[in-house]
Amino acid sequence: MFALHEGLDRDTRPLATWALSRVLLMNDSQYPWLILVPEREGARDLIDLDPKDRAILVEECARASAILRAMVRPDKLNVAALGNVVPQLHVHVIARFTKDAAWPKPVWGVSPPIAYDEAGYHKFRTDFRAAEKARP
Amino acid sequence: MFALHEGLDRDTRPLATWALSRVLLMNDSQYPWLILVPEREGARDLIDLDPKDRAILVEECARASAILRAMVRPDKLNVAALGNVVPQLHVHVIARFTKDAAWPKPVWGVSPPIAYDEAGYHKFRTDFRAAEKARP
């Protein structure tokens, strides 16, 4: 019964499907930015998941963090479930650099997204899959 | 060996100490806003915690969310570990309303904080403790 919210579908490119979450690439090449969407219909907030799913989600956030850290060696990782605009529960996992466009502010709303071109998306996906395999 | 970062100490008022985290009230009366700080010296990112601590942390985030939901019936809950300014690992748990000062944007940097007066802090703490007791 799970369907990805159209706002998330529009703003992202697919990367993987894990035990609980669909893993998406935010289509903004300014930041290495993953989005995890637990495939639980109707979930809006973290507390809408049951404790078993929450335990899986936090480990999937850690795995996404470890993959980004291995891929791009960021200065900081941001992990956030906001959902003020798109209500479907989703978690941002963002690699941040002290020289990125928004630092030290949160990334949302600071500068308009710059979409990946096809080659950029395919390169990210290839690198992601290599880092993912090393961190099962 | 754990010591609260001076930036967190300055911007918050104490509320509770849970199994893993110190629970703080962000001293900005515009938003019902808790901060959880896992008492693990040197932790900066979620992946700096071991999996056992992460499992506790996500349940403490859920407990904080449930307490805020019971206290103020928000329209949305924001849960976020950013740490671009204060590097010590801390998780924001914020009750959001469609009529609050920042909606639908994230709260950070939108409008200058408005500190609680003593009566406001004591009322929040009293209400927090009542909601906490009902959700052990």
Side-chain angles (χ1 to χ4, degrees):
Chain A
M1 280 295 294
F2 174 83
L4 188 65
H5 188 284
E6 59 180 8
L8 290 172
D9 189 44
R10 187 187 55 230
D11 294 342
T12 67
R13 306 292 302 264
L15 286 174
T17 301
W18 288 350
L20 176 66
S21 304
R22 206 168 293 189
V23 185
L24 308 169
L25 172 65
M26 177 64 97
N27 197 9
D28 183 352
S29 59
Q30 297 173 101
Y31 315 98
W33 181 345
L34 306 178
I35 295 186
L36 272 56
V37 188
E39 295 191 328
R40 293 291 181 265
E41 188 59 35
R44 295 177 70 243
D45 288 305
L46 186 64
I47 44 173
D48 296 333
L49 296 181
D50 64 30
K52 190 170 158 243
D53 281 345
R54 278 199 294 268
I56 298 170
L57 179 59
V58 75
E59 287 311 300
E60 291 186 343
C61 288
R63 187 184 184 199
S65 299
I67 288 170
L68 283 180
R69 194 181 265 183
M71 286 175 69
V72 300
R73 301 279 160 202
D75 298 309
K76 191 74 187 69
L77 290 155
N78 292 169
V79 178
L82 303 177
N84 303 336
V85 177
V86 171
Q88 184 173 64
L89 177 61
H90 60 287
V91 184
H92 303 267
V93 183
I94 312 167
R96 300 298 308 275
F97 296 89
T98 57
K99 294 181 175 177
D100 71 30
W103 186 269
K105 285 185 276 196
V107 298
W108 299 277
V110 171
S111 62
I114 300 171
Y116 287 91
D117 59 22
E118 282 305 298
Y121 164 55
H122 287 293
K123 179 176 182 348
F124 191 101
R125 194 177 61 183
T126 300
D127 293 348
F128 176 90
R129 285 177 178 167
E132 184 190 24
K133 267 187 196 157
R135 287 155 198 83
Chain B
M1 282 294 295
F2 173 83
L4 188 65
H5 188 283
E6 58 180 10
L8 291 172
D9 190 44
R10 186 186 55 231
D11 295 343
T12 66
R13 306 293 303 262
L15 286 175
T17 300
W18 289 348
L20 176 67
S21 304
R22 205 167 294 189
V23 185
L24 308 168
L25 172 64
M26 177 64 97
N27 197 8
D28 183 352
S29 59
Q30 296 173 102
Y31 315 97
W33 181 346
L34 306 178
I35 295 188
L36 273 56
V37 188
E39 294 191 330
R40 294 291 181 266
E41 188 58 36
R44 295 177 70 241
D45 288 305
L46 185 66
I47 44 172
D48 296 332
L49 296 181
D50 66 30
K52 190 171 158 242
D53 281 345
R54 278 199 295 267
I56 298 171
L57 180 59
V58 74
E59 287 311 299
E60 291 186 342
C61 288
R63 188 185 183 197
S65 299
I67 287 170
L68 284 180
R69 193 181 265 183
M71 286 176 68
V72 300
R73 300 280 159 204
D75 298 309
K76 191 72 186 69
L77 290 155
N78 293 170
V79 179
L82 303 178
N84 303 336
V85 178
V86 171
Q88 184 173 64
L89 178 61
H90 60 285
V91 185
H92 303 268
V93 182
I94 311 166
R96 300 298 309 274
F97 295 89
T98 57
K99 294 181 176 176
D100 70 32
W103 187 268
K105 285 185 276 195
V107 298
W108 300 276
V110 172
S111 62
I114 301 171
Y116 286 94
D117 59 21
E118 284 304 300
Y121 165 54
H122 288 293
K123 179 177 183 344
F124 192 100
R125 194 177 59 182
T126 300
D127 293 349
F128 176 89
R129 286 178 178 168
E132 185 190 24
K133 268 187 195 156
R135 287 157 199 82

PDB file of all heavy atoms in Angstrom, chain B residues 97-122:
ATOM      1  N   PHE B  97       3.855  24.431  14.651  1.00  0.00           N
ATOM      2  CA  PHE B  97       2.472  24.804  14.365  1.00  0.00           C
ATOM      3  C   PHE B  97       2.419  25.533  13.031  1.00  0.00           C
ATOM      4  O   PHE B  97       3.337  26.292  12.705  1.00  0.00           O
ATOM      5  CB  PHE B  97       1.926  25.715  15.471  1.00  0.00           C
ATOM      6  CG  PHE B  97       1.829  25.033  16.799  1.00  0.00           C
ATOM      7  CD1 PHE B  97       2.913  25.040  17.677  1.00  0.00           C
ATOM      8  CD2 PHE B  97       0.684  24.347  17.166  1.00  0.00           C
ATOM      9  CE1 PHE B  97       2.840  24.395  18.903  1.00  0.00           C
ATOM     10  CE2 PHE B  97       0.613  23.695  18.394  1.00  0.00           C
ATOM     11  CZ  PHE B  97       1.686  23.721  19.260  1.00  0.00           C
ATOM     12  N   THR B  98       1.344  25.342  12.304  1.00  0.00           N
ATOM     13  CA  THR B  98       1.221  26.008  11.001  1.00  0.00           C
ATOM     14  C   THR B  98       1.122  27.524  11.175  1.00  0.00           C
ATOM     15  O   THR B  98       1.230  28.258  10.191  1.00  0.00           O
ATOM     16  CB  THR B  98      -0.005  25.491  10.222  1.00  0.00           C
ATOM     17  OG1 THR B  98      -1.174  25.682  11.017  1.00  0.00           O
ATOM     18  CG2 THR B  98       0.139  24.012   9.906  1.00  0.00           C
ATOM     19  N   LYS B  99       0.911  27.987  12.394  1.00  0.00           N
ATOM     20  CA  LYS B  99       0.877  29.442  12.628  1.00  0.00           C
ATOM     21  C   LYS B  99       2.105  29.937  13.381  1.00  0.00           C
ATOM     22  O   LYS B  99       2.114  31.078  13.862  1.00  0.00           O
ATOM     23  CB  LYS B  99      -0.394  29.813  13.398  1.00  0.00           C
ATOM     24  CG  LYS B  99      -1.649  29.570  12.566  1.00  0.00           C
ATOM     25  CD  LYS B  99      -2.912  29.970  13.316  1.00  0.00           C
ATOM     26  CE  LYS B  99      -4.132  29.799  12.392  1.00  0.00           C
ATOM     27  NZ  LYS B  99      -5.401  30.069  13.084  1.00  0.00           N
ATOM     28  N   ASP B 100       3.167  29.104  13.517  1.00  0.00           N
ATOM     29  CA  ASP B 100       4.324  29.601  14.274  1.00  0.00           C
ATOM     30  C   ASP B 100       5.176  30.542  13.413  1.00  0.00           C
ATOM     31  O   ASP B 100       4.960  30.703  12.204  1.00  0.00           O
ATOM     32  CB  ASP B 100       5.120  28.454  14.928  1.00  0.00           C
ATOM     33  CG  ASP B 100       5.893  27.575  13.961  1.00  0.00           C
ATOM     34  OD1 ASP B 100       6.364  28.058  12.909  1.00  0.00           O
ATOM     35  OD2 ASP B 100       6.056  26.372  14.285  1.00  0.00           O
ATOM     36  N   ALA B 101       6.161  31.167  14.053  1.00  0.00           N
ATOM     37  CA  ALA B 101       6.918  32.267  13.439  1.00  0.00           C
ATOM     38  C   ALA B 101       7.702  31.841  12.191  1.00  0.00           C
ATOM     39  O   ALA B 101       7.992  32.675  11.328  1.00  0.00           O
ATOM     40  CB  ALA B 101       7.884  32.858  14.470  1.00  0.00           C
ATOM     41  N   ALA B 102       8.046  30.582  12.072  1.00  0.00           N
ATOM     42  CA  ALA B 102       8.902  30.140  10.965  1.00  0.00           C
ATOM     43  C   ALA B 102       8.178  29.276   9.938  1.00  0.00           C
ATOM     44  O   ALA B 102       8.703  29.058   8.848  1.00  0.00           O
ATOM     45  CB  ALA B 102      10.093  29.350  11.522  1.00  0.00           C
ATOM     46  N   TRP B 103       7.017  28.761  10.266  1.00  0.00           N
ATOM     47  CA  TRP B 103       6.322  27.793   9.395  1.00  0.00           C
ATOM     48  C   TRP B 103       6.200  28.277   7.953  1.00  0.00           C
ATOM     49  O   TRP B 103       5.858  29.414   7.759  1.00  0.00           O
ATOM     50  CB  TRP B 103       4.923  27.500   9.961  1.00  0.00           C
ATOM     51  CG  TRP B 103       4.247  26.405   9.215  1.00  0.00           C
ATOM     52  CD1 TRP B 103       3.410  26.522   8.139  1.00  0.00           C
ATOM     53  CD2 TRP B 103       4.378  25.007   9.476  1.00  0.00           C
ATOM     54  NE1 TRP B 103       3.012  25.281   7.709  1.00  0.00           N
ATOM     55  CE2 TRP B 103       3.584  24.340   8.509  1.00  0.00           C
ATOM     56  CE3 TRP B 103       5.088  24.250  10.433  1.00  0.00           C
ATOM     57  CZ2 TRP B 103       3.482  22.949   8.470  1.00  0.00           C
ATOM     58  CZ3 TRP B 103       4.983  22.872  10.386  1.00  0.00           C
ATOM     59  CH2 TRP B 103       4.183  22.243   9.418  1.00  0.00           C
ATOM     60  N   PRO B 104       6.437  27.423   6.926  1.00  0.00           N
ATOM     61  CA  PRO B 104       6.833  26.003   7.036  1.00  0.00           C
ATOM     62  C   PRO B 104       8.355  25.810   7.056  1.00  0.00           C
ATOM     63  O   PRO B 104       8.814  24.686   6.916  1.00  0.00           O
ATOM     64  CB  PRO B 104       6.233  25.391   5.764  1.00  0.00           C
ATOM     65  CG  PRO B 104       6.373  26.506   4.754  1.00  0.00           C
ATOM     66  CD  PRO B 104       6.200  27.806   5.530  1.00  0.00           C
ATOM     67  N   LYS B 105       9.088  26.863   7.204  1.00  0.00           N
ATOM     68  CA  LYS B 105      10.543  26.732   7.216  1.00  0.00           C
ATOM     69  C   LYS B 105      11.030  26.066   8.493  1.00  0.00           C
ATOM     70  O   LYS B 105      10.339  26.087   9.518  1.00  0.00           O
ATOM     71  CB  LYS B 105      11.176  28.126   7.094  1.00  0.00           C
ATOM     72  CG  LYS B 105      11.107  28.705   5.692  1.00  0.00           C
ATOM     73  CD  LYS B 105      11.850  30.017   5.572  1.00  0.00           C
ATOM     74  CE  LYS B 105      10.982  31.167   6.027  1.00  0.00           C
ATOM     75  NZ  LYS B 105      11.490  32.495   5.617  1.00  0.00           N
ATOM     76  N   PRO B 106      12.253  25.503   8.470  1.00  0.00           N
ATOM     77  CA  PRO B 106      12.885  25.093   9.724  1.00  0.00           C
ATOM     78  C   PRO B 106      13.055  26.315  10.629  1.00  0.00           C
ATOM     79  O   PRO B 106      13.107  27.452  10.141  1.00  0.00           O
ATOM     80  CB  PRO B 106      14.243  24.543   9.272  1.00  0.00           C
ATOM     81  CG  PRO B 106      14.088  24.225   7.818  1.00  0.00           C
ATOM     82  CD  PRO B 106      13.098  25.222   7.293  1.00  0.00           C
ATOM     83  N   VAL B 107      13.165  26.115  11.921  1.00  0.00           N
ATOM     84  CA  VAL B 107      13.159  27.245  12.862  1.00  0.00           C
ATOM     85  C   VAL B 107      14.483  28.007  12.924  1.00  0.00           C
ATOM     86  O   VAL B 107      14.504  29.184  13.287  1.00  0.00           O
ATOM     87  CB  VAL B 107      12.819  26.779  14.298  1.00  0.00           C
ATOM     88  CG1 VAL B 107      11.425  26.183  14.331  1.00  0.00           C
ATOM     89  CG2 VAL B 107      13.851  25.793  14.827  1.00  0.00           C
ATOM     90  N   TRP B 108      15.584  27.353  12.538  1.00  0.00           N
ATOM     91  CA  TRP B 108      16.896  27.937  12.804  1.00  0.00           C
ATOM     92  C   TRP B 108      17.116  29.226  12.015  1.00  0.00           C
ATOM     93  O   TRP B 108      16.969  29.240  10.787  1.00  0.00           O
ATOM     94  CB  TRP B 108      18.007  26.925  12.500  1.00  0.00           C
ATOM     95  CG  TRP B 108      17.879  25.705  13.337  1.00  0.00           C
ATOM     96  CD1 TRP B 108      18.345  25.536  14.625  1.00  0.00           C
ATOM     97  CD2 TRP B 108      17.204  24.489  12.984  1.00  0.00           C
ATOM     98  NE1 TRP B 108      17.994  24.291  15.067  1.00  0.00           N
ATOM     99  CE2 TRP B 108      17.302  23.636  14.097  1.00  0.00           C
ATOM    100  CE3 TRP B 108      16.528  24.052  11.851  1.00  0.00           C
ATOM    101  CZ2 TRP B 108      16.755  22.348  14.097  1.00  0.00           C
ATOM    102  CZ3 TRP B 108      15.977  22.775  11.848  1.00  0.00           C
ATOM    103  CH2 TRP B 108      16.097  21.953  12.953  1.00  0.00           C
ATOM    104  N   GLY B 109      17.476  30.285  12.720  1.00  0.00           N
ATOM    105  CA  GLY B 109      17.874  31.521  12.074  1.00  0.00           C
ATOM    106  C   GLY B 109      16.740  32.376  11.541  1.00  0.00           C
ATOM    107  O   GLY B 109      16.979  33.399  10.910  1.00  0.00           O
ATOM    108  N   VAL B 110      15.495  31.984  11.759  1.00  0.00           N
ATOM    109  CA  VAL B 110      14.384  32.741  11.175  1.00  0.00           C
ATOM    110  C   VAL B 110      14.055  33.994  11.987  1.00  0.00           C
ATOM    111  O   VAL B 110      13.930  35.079  11.447  1.00  0.00           O
ATOM    112  CB  VAL B 110      13.133  31.856  11.008  1.00  0.00           C
ATOM    113  CG1 VAL B 110      11.935  32.696  10.584  1.00  0.00           C
ATOM    114  CG2 VAL B 110      13.408  30.767   9.969  1.00  0.00           C
ATOM    115  N   SER B 111      13.875  33.831  13.289  1.00  0.00           N
ATOM    116  CA  SER B 111      13.597  35.032  14.094  1.00  0.00           C
ATOM    117  C   SER B 111      14.348  34.917  15.410  1.00  0.00           C
ATOM    118  O   SER B 111      14.483  33.825  15.963  1.00  0.00           O
ATOM    119  CB  SER B 111      12.095  35.227  14.298  1.00  0.00           C
ATOM    120  OG  SER B 111      11.541  34.152  14.997  1.00  0.00           O
ATOM    121  N   PRO B 112      14.855  36.023  15.923  1.00  0.00           N
ATOM    122  CA  PRO B 112      15.701  35.977  17.119  1.00  0.00           C
ATOM    123  C   PRO B 112      14.959  35.325  18.287  1.00  0.00           C
ATOM    124  O   PRO B 112      13.747  35.525  18.437  1.00  0.00           O
ATOM    125  CB  PRO B 112      15.973  37.461  17.415  1.00  0.00           C
ATOM    126  CG  PRO B 112      15.652  38.196  16.163  1.00  0.00           C
ATOM    127  CD  PRO B 112      14.614  37.390  15.451  1.00  0.00           C
ATOM    128  N   PRO B 113      15.667  34.541  19.101  1.00  0.00           N
ATOM    129  CA  PRO B 113      15.005  33.869  20.223  1.00  0.00           C
ATOM    130  C   PRO B 113      14.391  34.851  21.217  1.00  0.00           C
ATOM    131  O   PRO B 113      14.904  35.948  21.414  1.00  0.00           O
ATOM    132  CB  PRO B 113      16.138  33.075  20.886  1.00  0.00           C
ATOM    133  CG  PRO B 113      17.407  33.605  20.325  1.00  0.00           C
ATOM    134  CD  PRO B 113      17.094  34.222  19.012  1.00  0.00           C
ATOM    135  N   ILE B 114      13.284  34.448  21.792  1.00  0.00           N
ATOM    136  CA  ILE B 114      12.642  35.217  22.858  1.00  0.00           C
ATOM    137  C   ILE B 114      12.711  34.359  24.116  1.00  0.00           C
ATOM    138  O   ILE B 114      12.021  33.342  24.224  1.00  0.00           O
ATOM    139  CB  ILE B 114      11.171  35.545  22.506  1.00  0.00           C
ATOM    140  CG1 ILE B 114      11.106  36.362  21.201  1.00  0.00           C
ATOM    141  CG2 ILE B 114      10.497  36.296  23.656  1.00  0.00           C
ATOM    142  CD1 ILE B 114       9.698  36.548  20.647  1.00  0.00           C
ATOM    143  N   ALA B 115      13.579  34.747  25.049  1.00  0.00           N
ATOM    144  CA  ALA B 115      13.820  33.921  26.237  1.00  0.00           C
ATOM    145  C   ALA B 115      12.554  33.794  27.085  1.00  0.00           C
ATOM    146  O   ALA B 115      11.702  34.688  27.106  1.00  0.00           O
ATOM    147  CB  ALA B 115      14.957  34.525  27.059  1.00  0.00           C
ATOM    148  N   TYR B 116      12.429  32.665  27.785  1.00  0.00           N
ATOM    149  CA  TYR B 116      11.368  32.503  28.776  1.00  0.00           C
ATOM    150  C   TYR B 116      11.653  33.401  29.972  1.00  0.00           C
ATOM    151  O   TYR B 116      12.825  33.567  30.363  1.00  0.00           O
ATOM    152  CB  TYR B 116      11.343  31.053  29.285  1.00  0.00           C
ATOM    153  CG  TYR B 116      10.783  30.052  28.316  1.00  0.00           C
ATOM    154  CD1 TYR B 116      11.622  29.342  27.454  1.00  0.00           C
ATOM    155  CD2 TYR B 116       9.416  29.771  28.272  1.00  0.00           C
ATOM    156  CE1 TYR B 116      11.120  28.402  26.554  1.00  0.00           C
ATOM    157  CE2 TYR B 116       8.909  28.824  27.383  1.00  0.00           C
ATOM    158  CZ  TYR B 116       9.761  28.151  26.535  1.00  0.00           C
ATOM    159  OH  TYR B 116       9.259  27.223  25.662  1.00  0.00           O
ATOM    160  N   ASP B 117      10.623  33.960  30.588  1.00  0.00           N
ATOM    161  CA  ASP B 117      10.834  34.532  31.915  1.00  0.00           C
ATOM    162  C   ASP B 117      10.781  33.375  32.921  1.00  0.00           C
ATOM    163  O   ASP B 117      10.474  32.237  32.563  1.00  0.00           O
ATOM    164  CB  ASP B 117       9.819  35.647  32.215  1.00  0.00           C
ATOM    165  CG  ASP B 117       8.371  35.183  32.163  1.00  0.00           C
ATOM    166  OD1 ASP B 117       8.113  33.961  32.299  1.00  0.00           O
ATOM    167  OD2 ASP B 117       7.488  36.024  31.991  1.00  0.00           O
ATOM    168  N   GLU B 118      11.113  33.649  34.170  1.00  0.00           N
ATOM    169  CA  GLU B 118      11.205  32.571  35.158  1.00  0.00           C
ATOM    170  C   GLU B 118       9.882  31.828  35.304  1.00  0.00           C
ATOM    171  O   GLU B 118       9.852  30.597  35.390  1.00  0.00           O
ATOM    172  CB  GLU B 118      11.685  33.113  36.512  1.00  0.00           C
ATOM    173  CG  GLU B 118      13.172  33.407  36.558  1.00  0.00           C
ATOM    174  CD  GLU B 118      14.027  32.194  36.188  1.00  0.00           C
ATOM    175  OE1 GLU B 118      13.945  31.143  36.867  1.00  0.00           O
ATOM    176  OE2 GLU B 118      14.756  32.287  35.180  1.00  0.00           O
ATOM    177  N   ALA B 119       8.790  32.569  35.315  1.00  0.00           N
ATOM    178  CA  ALA B 119       7.475  31.927  35.463  1.00  0.00           C
ATOM    179  C   ALA B 119       7.184  31.019  34.263  1.00  0.00           C
ATOM    180  O   ALA B 119       6.652  29.911  34.415  1.00  0.00           O
ATOM    181  CB  ALA B 119       6.385  32.987  35.610  1.00  0.00           C
ATOM    182  N   GLY B 120       7.571  31.466  33.077  1.00  0.00           N
ATOM    183  CA  GLY B 120       7.343  30.673  31.863  1.00  0.00           C
ATOM    184  C   GLY B 120       8.148  29.385  31.880  1.00  0.00           C
ATOM    185  O   GLY B 120       7.649  28.312  31.520  1.00  0.00           O
ATOM    186  N   TYR B 121       9.419  29.500  32.303  1.00  0.00           N
ATOM    187  CA  TYR B 121      10.265  28.305  32.413  1.00  0.00           C
ATOM    188  C   TYR B 121       9.710  27.329  33.446  1.00  0.00           C
ATOM    189  O   TYR B 121       9.608  26.128  33.190  1.00  0.00           O
ATOM    190  CB  TYR B 121      11.694  28.729  32.765  1.00  0.00           C
ATOM    191  CG  TYR B 121      12.584  27.617  33.251  1.00  0.00           C
ATOM    192  CD1 TYR B 121      12.775  26.448  32.516  1.00  0.00           C
ATOM    193  CD2 TYR B 121      13.250  27.735  34.477  1.00  0.00           C
ATOM    194  CE1 TYR B 121      13.600  25.431  32.981  1.00  0.00           C
ATOM    195  CE2 TYR B 121      14.083  26.720  34.945  1.00  0.00           C
ATOM    196  CZ  TYR B 121      14.244  25.566  34.200  1.00  0.00           C
ATOM    197  OH  TYR B 121      15.056  24.563  34.657  1.00  0.00           O
ATOM    198  N   HIS B 122       9.310  27.848  34.604  1.00  0.00           N
ATOM    199  CA  HIS B 122       8.801  26.958  35.652  1.00  0.00           C
ATOM    200  C   HIS B 122       7.504  26.287  35.224  1.00  0.00           C
ATOM    201  O   HIS B 122       7.281  25.113  35.508  1.00  0.00           O
ATOM    202  CB  HIS B 122       8.654  27.717  36.977  1.00  0.00           C
ATOM    203  CG  HIS B 122       9.976  28.024  37.604  1.00  0.00           C
ATOM    204  ND1 HIS B 122      10.811  27.041  38.105  1.00  0.00           N
ATOM    205  CD2 HIS B 122      10.660  29.191  37.762  1.00  0.00           C
ATOM    206  CE1 HIS B 122      11.939  27.595  38.557  1.00  0.00           C
ATOM    207  NE2 HIS B 122      11.878  28.889  38.354  1.00  0.00           N
TER     208      HIS B 122
END
